[in-house]
PDB file of all heavy atoms in Angstrom:
ATOM      1  N   ASN W  31       0.030  12.045 -11.022  1.00 97.00           N
ATOM      2  CA  ASN W  31      -0.593  13.263 -10.521  1.00 97.00           C
ATOM      3  C   ASN W  31      -1.957  12.934  -9.952  1.00 97.00           C
ATOM      4  O   ASN W  31      -2.837  13.772  -9.878  1.00 97.00           O
ATOM      5  CB  ASN W  31      -0.698  14.341 -11.597  1.00 97.00           C
ATOM      6  CG  ASN W  31      -1.429  13.869 -12.812  1.00 97.00           C
ATOM      7  OD1 ASN W  31      -1.651  12.666 -13.027  1.00 97.00           O
ATOM      8  ND2 ASN W  31      -1.891  14.830 -13.680  1.00 97.00           N
ATOM      9  N   TYR W  36      -8.292  17.598   0.423  1.00 98.00           N
ATOM     10  CA  TYR W  36      -9.590  17.816   1.024  1.00 98.00           C
ATOM     11  C   TYR W  36      -9.412  18.786   2.213  1.00 98.00           C
ATOM     12  O   TYR W  36      -8.387  18.763   2.870  1.00 98.00           O
ATOM     13  CB  TYR W  36     -10.200  16.505   1.540  1.00 98.00           C
ATOM     14  CG  TYR W  36     -10.402  15.454   0.441  1.00 98.00           C
ATOM     15  CD1 TYR W  36      -9.361  14.609   0.028  1.00 98.00           C
ATOM     16  CD2 TYR W  36     -11.617  15.359  -0.223  1.00 98.00           C
ATOM     17  CE1 TYR W  36      -9.557  13.701  -0.908  1.00 98.00           C
ATOM     18  CE2 TYR W  36     -11.839  14.402  -1.225  1.00 98.00           C
ATOM     19  CZ  TYR W  36     -10.740  13.584  -1.551  1.00 98.00           C
ATOM     20  OH  TYR W  36     -10.943  12.629  -2.554  1.00 98.00           O
ATOM     21  N   GLN W  38     -11.396  19.773   5.851  1.00 98.00           N
ATOM     22  CA  GLN W  38     -12.399  19.305   6.788  1.00 98.00           C
ATOM     23  C   GLN W  38     -12.497  20.334   7.935  1.00 98.00           C
ATOM     24  O   GLN W  38     -11.517  20.597   8.595  1.00 98.00           O
ATOM     25  CB  GLN W  38     -12.106  17.955   7.330  1.00 98.00           C
ATOM     26  CG  GLN W  38     -13.249  17.402   8.190  1.00 98.00           C
ATOM     27  CD  GLN W  38     -12.999  16.002   8.721  1.00 98.00           C
ATOM     28  OE1 GLN W  38     -11.890  15.589   8.944  1.00 98.00           O
ATOM     29  NE2 GLN W  38     -14.072  15.228   8.887  1.00 98.00           N
ATOM     30  N   ALA W  43     -18.063  16.914   7.233  1.00 98.00           N
ATOM     31  CA  ALA W  43     -17.410  15.953   6.400  1.00 98.00           C
ATOM     32  C   ALA W  43     -16.356  16.678   5.549  1.00 98.00           C
ATOM     33  O   ALA W  43     -16.423  17.855   5.328  1.00 98.00           O
ATOM     34  CB  ALA W  43     -18.427  15.290   5.476  1.00 98.00           C
ATOM     35  N   PRO W  44     -15.343  15.906   5.133  1.00 98.00           N
ATOM     36  CA  PRO W  44     -14.328  16.537   4.218  1.00 98.00           C
ATOM     37  C   PRO W  44     -14.988  17.012   2.901  1.00 98.00           C
ATOM     38  O   PRO W  44     -16.034  16.489   2.493  1.00 98.00           O
ATOM     39  CB  PRO W  44     -13.371  15.381   3.972  1.00 98.00           C
ATOM     40  CG  PRO W  44     -13.519  14.457   5.093  1.00 98.00           C
ATOM     41  CD  PRO W  44     -15.010  14.534   5.469  1.00 98.00           C
ATOM     42  N   LEU W  46     -13.773  18.217  -1.177  1.00 97.00           N
ATOM     43  CA  LEU W  46     -12.707  18.230  -2.146  1.00 97.00           C
ATOM     44  C   LEU W  46     -12.302  19.643  -2.486  1.00 97.00           C
ATOM     45  O   LEU W  46     -13.150  20.493  -2.783  1.00 97.00           O
ATOM     46  CB  LEU W  46     -13.131  17.524  -3.403  1.00 97.00           C
ATOM     47  CG  LEU W  46     -12.113  17.491  -4.547  1.00 97.00           C
ATOM     48  CD1 LEU W  46     -11.005  16.455  -4.193  1.00 97.00           C
ATOM     49  CD2 LEU W  46     -12.774  17.127  -5.863  1.00 97.00           C
ATOM     50  N   TYR W  49      -8.125  18.236  -7.198  1.00 98.00           N
ATOM     51  CA  TYR W  49      -7.949  16.909  -7.716  1.00 98.00           C
ATOM     52  C   TYR W  49      -6.890  16.897  -8.816  1.00 98.00           C
ATOM     53  O   TYR W  49      -6.575  17.961  -9.396  1.00 98.00           O
ATOM     54  CB  TYR W  49      -9.263  16.313  -8.237  1.00 98.00           C
ATOM     55  CG  TYR W  49      -9.855  17.038  -9.449  1.00 98.00           C
ATOM     56  CD1 TYR W  49      -9.558  16.647 -10.761  1.00 98.00           C
ATOM     57  CD2 TYR W  49     -10.670  18.188  -9.243  1.00 98.00           C
ATOM     58  CE1 TYR W  49     -10.102  17.342 -11.845  1.00 98.00           C
ATOM     59  CE2 TYR W  49     -11.211  18.863 -10.319  1.00 98.00           C
ATOM     60  CZ  TYR W  49     -10.904  18.444 -11.615  1.00 98.00           C
ATOM     61  OH  TYR W  49     -11.433  19.141 -12.680  1.00 98.00           O
ATOM     62  N   GLY W  50      -6.344  15.726  -9.095  1.00 97.00           N
ATOM     63  CA  GLY W  50      -5.318  15.673 -10.119  1.00 97.00           C
ATOM     64  C   GLY W  50      -4.119  16.561  -9.848  1.00 97.00           C
ATOM     65  O   GLY W  50      -3.505  17.066 -10.740  1.00 97.00           O
ATOM     66  N   GLN W  89      -4.687  12.759  -0.468  1.00 98.00           N
ATOM     67  CA  GLN W  89      -5.133  11.348  -0.751  1.00 98.00           C
ATOM     68  C   GLN W  89      -4.598  10.946  -2.096  1.00 98.00           C
ATOM     69  O   GLN W  89      -4.660  11.752  -3.077  1.00 98.00           O
ATOM     70  CB  GLN W  89      -6.665  11.318  -0.823  1.00 98.00           C
ATOM     71  CG  GLN W  89      -7.275  10.000  -1.215  1.00 98.00           C
ATOM     72  CD  GLN W  89      -8.542  10.112  -1.964  1.00 98.00           C
ATOM     73  OE1 GLN W  89      -8.810  11.117  -2.644  1.00 98.00           O
ATOM     74  NE2 GLN W  89      -9.421   9.153  -1.835  1.00 98.00           N
ATOM     75  N   SER W  91      -4.976   8.490  -5.382  1.00 97.00           N
ATOM     76  CA  SER W  91      -6.003   7.729  -6.081  1.00 97.00           C
ATOM     77  C   SER W  91      -5.368   7.055  -7.312  1.00 97.00           C
ATOM     78  O   SER W  91      -6.104   6.934  -8.318  1.00 97.00           O
ATOM     79  CB  SER W  91      -7.211   8.610  -6.409  1.00 97.00           C
ATOM     80  OG  SER W  91      -6.791   9.707  -7.203  1.00 97.00           O
ATOM     81  N   ILE W  94      -4.759   1.780  -6.551  1.00 93.00           N
ATOM     82  CA  ILE W  94      -5.947   1.537  -5.767  1.00 93.00           C
ATOM     83  C   ILE W  94      -6.470   0.149  -6.086  1.00 93.00           C
ATOM     84  O   ILE W  94      -6.335  -0.325  -7.190  1.00 93.00           O
ATOM     85  CB  ILE W  94      -6.991   2.606  -5.995  1.00 93.00           C
ATOM     86  CG1 ILE W  94      -7.222   2.769  -7.532  1.00 93.00           C
ATOM     87  CG2 ILE W  94      -6.577   3.899  -5.341  1.00 93.00           C
ATOM     88  CD1 ILE W  94      -8.336   3.654  -7.904  1.00 93.00           C
ATOM     89  N   PRO W  95      -7.165  -0.537  -5.190  1.00 96.00           N
ATOM     90  CA  PRO W  95      -7.279  -0.174  -3.797  1.00 96.00           C
ATOM     91  C   PRO W  95      -5.983  -0.485  -3.004  1.00 96.00           C
ATOM     92  O   PRO W  95      -5.173  -1.265  -3.523  1.00 96.00           O
ATOM     93  CB  PRO W  95      -8.408  -1.035  -3.274  1.00 96.00           C
ATOM     94  CG  PRO W  95      -8.367  -2.262  -4.145  1.00 96.00           C
ATOM     95  CD  PRO W  95      -7.889  -1.758  -5.494  1.00 96.00           C
ATOM     96  N   PRO W  96      -5.730   0.091  -1.821  1.00 97.00           N
ATOM     97  CA  PRO W  96      -6.655   0.987  -1.140  1.00 97.00           C
ATOM     98  C   PRO W  96      -6.389   2.429  -1.526  1.00 97.00           C
ATOM     99  O   PRO W  96      -5.270   2.773  -1.944  1.00 97.00           O
ATOM    100  CB  PRO W  96      -6.304   0.751   0.324  1.00 97.00           C
ATOM    101  CG  PRO W  96      -4.801   0.458   0.286  1.00 97.00           C
ATOM    102  CD  PRO W  96      -4.598  -0.299  -1.018  1.00 97.00           C
ATOM    103  N   TRP W  97      -7.380   3.280  -1.339  1.00 97.00           N
ATOM    104  CA  TRP W  97      -7.193   4.706  -1.433  1.00 97.00           C
ATOM    105  C   TRP W  97      -6.615   5.112  -0.026  1.00 97.00           C
ATOM    106  O   TRP W  97      -7.149   4.749   0.958  1.00 97.00           O
ATOM    107  CB  TRP W  97      -8.527   5.423  -1.627  1.00 97.00           C
ATOM    108  CG  TRP W  97      -9.127   5.213  -2.997  1.00 97.00           C
ATOM    109  CD1 TRP W  97      -9.102   6.102  -4.015  1.00 97.00           C
ATOM    110  CD2 TRP W  97      -9.824   4.026  -3.464  1.00 97.00           C
ATOM    111  NE1 TRP W  97      -9.722   5.525  -5.094  1.00 97.00           N
ATOM    112  CE2 TRP W  97     -10.188   4.283  -4.827  1.00 97.00           C
ATOM    113  CE3 TRP W  97     -10.188   2.801  -2.904  1.00 97.00           C
ATOM    114  CZ2 TRP W  97     -10.861   3.380  -5.580  1.00 97.00           C
ATOM    115  CZ3 TRP W  97     -10.861   1.892  -3.652  1.00 97.00           C
ATOM    116  CH2 TRP W  97     -11.219   2.194  -5.008  1.00 97.00           C
ATOM    117  N   PHE W  99      -4.906   8.090   2.599  1.00 98.00           N
ATOM    118  CA  PHE W  99      -4.885   9.510   2.983  1.00 98.00           C
ATOM    119  C   PHE W  99      -3.670   9.831   3.801  1.00 98.00           C
ATOM    120  O   PHE W  99      -3.144   8.969   4.565  1.00 98.00           O
ATOM    121  CB  PHE W  99      -6.118   9.827   3.851  1.00 98.00           C
ATOM    122  CG  PHE W  99      -7.435   9.684   3.137  1.00 98.00           C
ATOM    123  CD1 PHE W  99      -8.072   8.464   3.078  1.00 98.00           C
ATOM    124  CD2 PHE W  99      -8.021  10.789   2.550  1.00 98.00           C
ATOM    125  CE1 PHE W  99      -9.297   8.336   2.431  1.00 98.00           C
ATOM    126  CE2 PHE W  99      -9.285  10.657   1.890  1.00 98.00           C
ATOM    127  CZ  PHE W  99      -9.932   9.429   1.851  1.00 98.00           C
TER     128      PHE W  99
ATOM    129  N   GLN S  39     -13.528   7.546  10.133  1.00 98.00           N
ATOM    130  CA  GLN S  39     -12.681   8.468  10.822  1.00 98.00           C
ATOM    131  C   GLN S  39     -12.901   8.385  12.306  1.00 98.00           C
ATOM    132  O   GLN S  39     -13.991   8.637  12.768  1.00 98.00           O
ATOM    133  CB  GLN S  39     -12.933   9.909  10.360  1.00 98.00           C
ATOM    134  CG  GLN S  39     -12.012  10.937  10.914  1.00 98.00           C
ATOM    135  CD  GLN S  39     -12.268  12.310  10.334  1.00 98.00           C
ATOM    136  OE1 GLN S  39     -13.396  12.729  10.064  1.00 98.00           O
ATOM    137  NE2 GLN S  39     -11.163  13.082  10.119  1.00 98.00           N
ATOM    138  N   LYS S  43      -9.104  12.188  14.409  1.00 94.00           N
ATOM    139  CA  LYS S  43      -7.992  11.546  13.746  1.00 94.00           C
ATOM    140  C   LYS S  43      -8.119  11.567  12.206  1.00 94.00           C
ATOM    141  O   LYS S  43      -8.917  12.335  11.678  1.00 94.00           O
ATOM    142  CB  LYS S  43      -7.911  10.084  14.230  1.00 94.00           C
ATOM    143  CG  LYS S  43      -7.735   9.978  15.739  1.00 94.00           C
ATOM    144  CD  LYS S  43      -6.431  10.544  16.229  1.00 94.00           C
ATOM    145  CE  LYS S  43      -6.258  10.317  17.736  1.00 94.00           C
ATOM    146  NZ  LYS S  43      -4.994  10.934  18.228  1.00 94.00           N
ATOM    147  N   GLY S  44      -7.358  10.693  11.536  1.00 96.00           N
ATOM    148  CA  GLY S  44      -7.345  10.695  10.098  1.00 96.00           C
ATOM    149  C   GLY S  44      -8.466   9.952   9.469  1.00 96.00           C
ATOM    150  O   GLY S  44      -9.361   9.374  10.114  1.00 96.00           O
ATOM    151  N   LEU S  45      -8.386   9.871   8.133  1.00 98.00           N
ATOM    152  CA  LEU S  45      -9.405   9.212   7.314  1.00 98.00           C
ATOM    153  C   LEU S  45      -8.847   7.842   6.852  1.00 98.00           C
ATOM    154  O   LEU S  45      -7.720   7.719   6.445  1.00 98.00           O
ATOM    155  CB  LEU S  45      -9.712  10.015   6.114  1.00 98.00           C
ATOM    156  CG  LEU S  45     -10.272  11.435   6.403  1.00 98.00           C
ATOM    157  CD1 LEU S  45     -10.195  12.345   5.209  1.00 98.00           C
ATOM    158  CD2 LEU S  45     -11.759  11.326   6.849  1.00 98.00           C
ATOM    159  N   TRP S  47     -10.095   4.717   4.261  1.00 98.00           N
ATOM    160  CA  TRP S  47     -10.993   4.087   3.300  1.00 98.00           C
ATOM    161  C   TRP S  47     -11.324   2.646   3.801  1.00 98.00           C
ATOM    162  O   TRP S  47     -10.425   1.959   4.202  1.00 98.00           O
ATOM    163  CB  TRP S  47     -10.388   4.032   1.951  1.00 98.00           C
ATOM    164  CG  TRP S  47     -11.154   3.125   0.970  1.00 98.00           C
ATOM    165  CD1 TRP S  47     -12.267   3.412   0.334  1.00 98.00           C
ATOM    166  CD2 TRP S  47     -10.813   1.811   0.594  1.00 98.00           C
ATOM    167  NE1 TRP S  47     -12.677   2.355  -0.421  1.00 98.00           N
ATOM    168  CE2 TRP S  47     -11.813   1.366  -0.229  1.00 98.00           C
ATOM    169  CE3 TRP S  47      -9.742   0.961   0.929  1.00 98.00           C
ATOM    170  CZ2 TRP S  47     -11.771   0.069  -0.822  1.00 98.00           C
ATOM    171  CZ3 TRP S  47      -9.702  -0.332   0.423  1.00 98.00           C
ATOM    172  CH2 TRP S  47     -10.744  -0.761  -0.444  1.00 98.00           C
ATOM    173  N   SER S  50     -15.448  -0.320  -1.137  1.00 98.00           N
ATOM    174  CA  SER S  50     -15.872   0.346  -2.382  1.00 98.00           C
ATOM    175  C   SER S  50     -16.698  -0.650  -3.185  1.00 98.00           C
ATOM    176  O   SER S  50     -16.394  -1.873  -3.246  1.00 98.00           O
ATOM    177  CB  SER S  50     -14.638   0.796  -3.187  1.00 98.00           C
ATOM    178  OG  SER S  50     -15.009   1.254  -4.443  1.00 98.00           O
ATOM    179  N   TYR S  59     -14.298  -3.920  -3.222  1.00 98.00           N
ATOM    180  CA  TYR S  59     -13.010  -3.953  -2.592  1.00 98.00           C
ATOM    181  C   TYR S  59     -13.142  -3.655  -1.085  1.00 98.00           C
ATOM    182  O   TYR S  59     -14.087  -2.925  -0.691  1.00 98.00           O
ATOM    183  CB  TYR S  59     -12.031  -2.908  -3.181  1.00 98.00           C
ATOM    184  CG  TYR S  59     -11.863  -3.063  -4.659  1.00 98.00           C
ATOM    185  CD1 TYR S  59     -12.437  -2.090  -5.566  1.00 98.00           C
ATOM    186  CD2 TYR S  59     -11.109  -4.067  -5.239  1.00 98.00           C
ATOM    187  CE1 TYR S  59     -12.270  -2.214  -6.929  1.00 98.00           C
ATOM    188  CE2 TYR S  59     -10.894  -4.162  -6.575  1.00 98.00           C
ATOM    189  CZ  TYR S  59     -11.504  -3.234  -7.393  1.00 98.00           C
ATOM    190  OH  TYR S  59     -11.306  -3.368  -8.800  1.00 98.00           O
ATOM    191  N   PHE S  95     -18.478   7.417   6.982  1.00 98.00           N
ATOM    192  CA  PHE S  95     -18.998   8.317   5.906  1.00 98.00           C
ATOM    193  C   PHE S  95     -19.335   7.450   4.674  1.00 98.00           C
ATOM    194  O   PHE S  95     -18.560   6.593   4.281  1.00 98.00           O
ATOM    195  CB  PHE S  95     -17.972   9.337   5.505  1.00 98.00           C
ATOM    196  CG  PHE S  95     -17.673  10.360   6.568  1.00 98.00           C
ATOM    197  CD1 PHE S  95     -16.463  10.236   7.307  1.00 98.00           C
ATOM    198  CD2 PHE S  95     -18.484  11.425   6.789  1.00 98.00           C
ATOM    199  CE1 PHE S  95     -16.107  11.192   8.230  1.00 98.00           C
ATOM    200  CE2 PHE S  95     -18.156  12.417   7.725  1.00 98.00           C
ATOM    201  CZ  PHE S  95     -17.001  12.290   8.458  1.00 98.00           C
ATOM    202  N   ARG S  99     -17.641   8.431  -5.496  1.00 95.00           N
ATOM    203  CA  ARG S  99     -16.313   8.544  -6.082  1.00 95.00           C
ATOM    204  C   ARG S  99     -16.466   8.685  -7.577  1.00 95.00           C
ATOM    205  O   ARG S  99     -17.245   7.986  -8.246  1.00 95.00           O
ATOM    206  CB  ARG S  99     -15.487   7.294  -5.732  1.00 95.00           C
ATOM    207  CG  ARG S  99     -14.130   7.241  -6.385  1.00 95.00           C
ATOM    208  CD  ARG S  99     -13.275   6.167  -5.760  1.00 95.00           C
ATOM    209  NE  ARG S  99     -13.885   4.850  -5.802  1.00 95.00           N
ATOM    210  CZ  ARG S  99     -13.804   3.986  -6.789  1.00 95.00           C
ATOM    211  NH1 ARG S  99     -13.171   4.351  -7.888  1.00 95.00           N
ATOM    212  NH2 ARG S  99     -14.385   2.822  -6.716  1.00 95.00           N
ATOM    213  N   VAL S 102     -12.972   9.151 -13.136  1.00 86.00           N
ATOM    214  CA  VAL S 102     -11.814   9.643 -13.909  1.00 86.00           C
ATOM    215  C   VAL S 102     -10.581   9.817 -13.025  1.00 86.00           C
ATOM    216  O   VAL S 102      -9.552   9.201 -13.249  1.00 86.00           O
ATOM    217  CB  VAL S 102     -12.144  10.944 -14.638  1.00 86.00           C
ATOM    218  CG1 VAL S 102     -10.946  11.465 -15.390  1.00 86.00           C
ATOM    219  CG2 VAL S 102     -13.327  10.734 -15.557  1.00 86.00           C
ATOM    220  N   TRP S 103     -10.695  10.620 -12.010  1.00 90.00           N
ATOM    221  CA  TRP S 103      -9.570  10.927 -11.110  1.00 90.00           C
ATOM    222  C   TRP S 103      -9.696  10.202  -9.765  1.00 90.00           C
ATOM    223  O   TRP S 103      -8.832  10.268  -8.915  1.00 90.00           O
ATOM    224  CB  TRP S 103      -9.397  12.405 -10.868  1.00 90.00           C
ATOM    225  CG  TRP S 103      -8.844  13.141 -12.075  1.00 90.00           C
ATOM    226  CD1 TRP S 103      -9.571  13.853 -12.982  1.00 90.00           C
ATOM    227  CD2 TRP S 103      -7.484  13.255 -12.452  1.00 90.00           C
ATOM    228  NE1 TRP S 103      -8.751  14.376 -13.939  1.00 90.00           N
ATOM    229  CE2 TRP S 103      -7.472  14.021 -13.661  1.00 90.00           C
ATOM    230  CE3 TRP S 103      -6.306  12.698 -11.943  1.00 90.00           C
ATOM    231  CZ2 TRP S 103      -6.270  14.278 -14.305  1.00 90.00           C
ATOM    232  CZ3 TRP S 103      -5.084  13.032 -12.627  1.00 90.00           C
ATOM    233  CH2 TRP S 103      -5.118  13.783 -13.780  1.00 90.00           C
ATOM    234  N   ASN S 104     -10.792   9.513  -9.591  1.00 91.00           N
ATOM    235  CA  ASN S 104     -11.028   8.747  -8.385  1.00 91.00           C
ATOM    236  C   ASN S 104     -11.049   9.576  -7.120  1.00 91.00           C
ATOM    237  O   ASN S 104     -10.662   9.100  -6.026  1.00 91.00           O
ATOM    238  CB  ASN S 104      -9.996   7.600  -8.256  1.00 91.00           C
ATOM    239  CG  ASN S 104     -10.364   6.421  -9.145  1.00 91.00           C
ATOM    240  OD1 ASN S 104     -11.456   5.842  -9.028  1.00 91.00           O
ATOM    241  ND2 ASN S 104      -9.477   6.070 -10.038  1.00 91.00           N
ATOM    242  N   TRP S 105     -11.429  10.826  -7.244  1.00 95.00           N
ATOM    243  CA  TRP S 105     -11.564  11.618  -6.031  1.00 95.00           C
ATOM    244  C   TRP S 105     -12.890  11.354  -5.345  1.00 95.00           C
ATOM    245  O   TRP S 105     -13.861  10.941  -6.002  1.00 95.00           O
ATOM    246  CB  TRP S 105     -11.348  13.111  -6.283  1.00 95.00           C
ATOM    247  CG  TRP S 105     -12.099  13.772  -7.356  1.00 95.00           C
ATOM    248  CD1 TRP S 105     -11.667  14.005  -8.609  1.00 95.00           C
ATOM    249  CD2 TRP S 105     -13.422  14.305  -7.309  1.00 95.00           C
ATOM    250  NE1 TRP S 105     -12.603  14.670  -9.364  1.00 95.00           N
ATOM    251  CE2 TRP S 105     -13.715  14.869  -8.562  1.00 95.00           C
ATOM    252  CE3 TRP S 105     -14.410  14.383  -6.282  1.00 95.00           C
ATOM    253  CZ2 TRP S 105     -14.928  15.476  -8.843  1.00 95.00           C
ATOM    254  CZ3 TRP S 105     -15.605  14.994  -6.575  1.00 95.00           C
ATOM    255  CH2 TRP S 105     -15.892  15.519  -7.842  1.00 95.00           C
ATOM    256  N   PHE S 106     -12.981  11.656  -4.086  1.00 97.00           N
ATOM    257  CA  PHE S 106     -14.150  11.355  -3.253  1.00 97.00           C
ATOM    258  C   PHE S 106     -14.997  12.597  -3.087  1.00 97.00           C
ATOM    259  O   PHE S 106     -14.483  13.645  -2.614  1.00 97.00           O
ATOM    260  CB  PHE S 106     -13.763  10.815  -1.904  1.00 97.00           C
ATOM    261  CG  PHE S 106     -13.205   9.407  -1.871  1.00 97.00           C
ATOM    262  CD1 PHE S 106     -12.822   8.786  -3.081  1.00 97.00           C
ATOM    263  CD2 PHE S 106     -13.096   8.701  -0.685  1.00 97.00           C
ATOM    264  CE1 PHE S 106     -12.349   7.498  -3.071  1.00 97.00           C
ATOM    265  CE2 PHE S 106     -12.591   7.438  -0.696  1.00 97.00           C
ATOM    266  CZ  PHE S 106     -12.211   6.802  -1.838  1.00 97.00           C
ATOM    267  N   TRP S 109     -19.697  13.826   0.297  1.00 98.00           N
ATOM    268  CA  TRP S 109     -19.679  12.939   1.439  1.00 98.00           C
ATOM    269  C   TRP S 109     -21.002  13.149   2.228  1.00 98.00           C
ATOM    270  O   TRP S 109     -21.570  14.240   2.235  1.00 98.00           O
ATOM    271  CB  TRP S 109     -18.524  13.332   2.386  1.00 98.00           C
ATOM    272  CG  TRP S 109     -17.154  13.239   1.806  1.00 98.00           C
ATOM    273  CD1 TRP S 109     -16.682  13.867   0.692  1.00 98.00           C
ATOM    274  CD2 TRP S 109     -16.040  12.495   2.361  1.00 98.00           C
ATOM    275  NE1 TRP S 109     -15.365  13.548   0.482  1.00 98.00           N
ATOM    276  CE2 TRP S 109     -14.952  12.728   1.495  1.00 98.00           C
ATOM    277  CE3 TRP S 109     -15.916  11.671   3.485  1.00 98.00           C
ATOM    278  CZ2 TRP S 109     -13.706  12.138   1.735  1.00 98.00           C
ATOM    279  CZ3 TRP S 109     -14.652  11.077   3.697  1.00 98.00           C
ATOM    280  CH2 TRP S 109     -13.588  11.348   2.835  1.00 98.00           C
ATOM    281  N   GLY S 110     -21.451  12.088   2.877  1.00 98.00           N
ATOM    282  CA  GLY S 110     -22.555  12.241   3.815  1.00 98.00           C
ATOM    283  C   GLY S 110     -22.039  12.881   5.103  1.00 98.00           C
ATOM    284  O   GLY S 110     -20.847  13.187   5.225  1.00 98.00           O
TER     285      GLY S 110
END
Side-chain angles (χ1 to χ4, degrees):
Chain W
N31 58 343
Y36 300 86
Q38 186 177 33
L46 179 74
Y49 63 93
Q89 176 212 28
S91 56
I94 50 174
W97 289 259
F99 296 85
Chain S
Q39 183 176 38
K43 302 296 184 182
L45 298 163
W47 167 79
S50 173
Y59 305 107
F95 295 101
R99 175 168 56 84
V102 179
W103 288 98
N104 282 303
W105 51 262
F106 286 14
W109 300 57

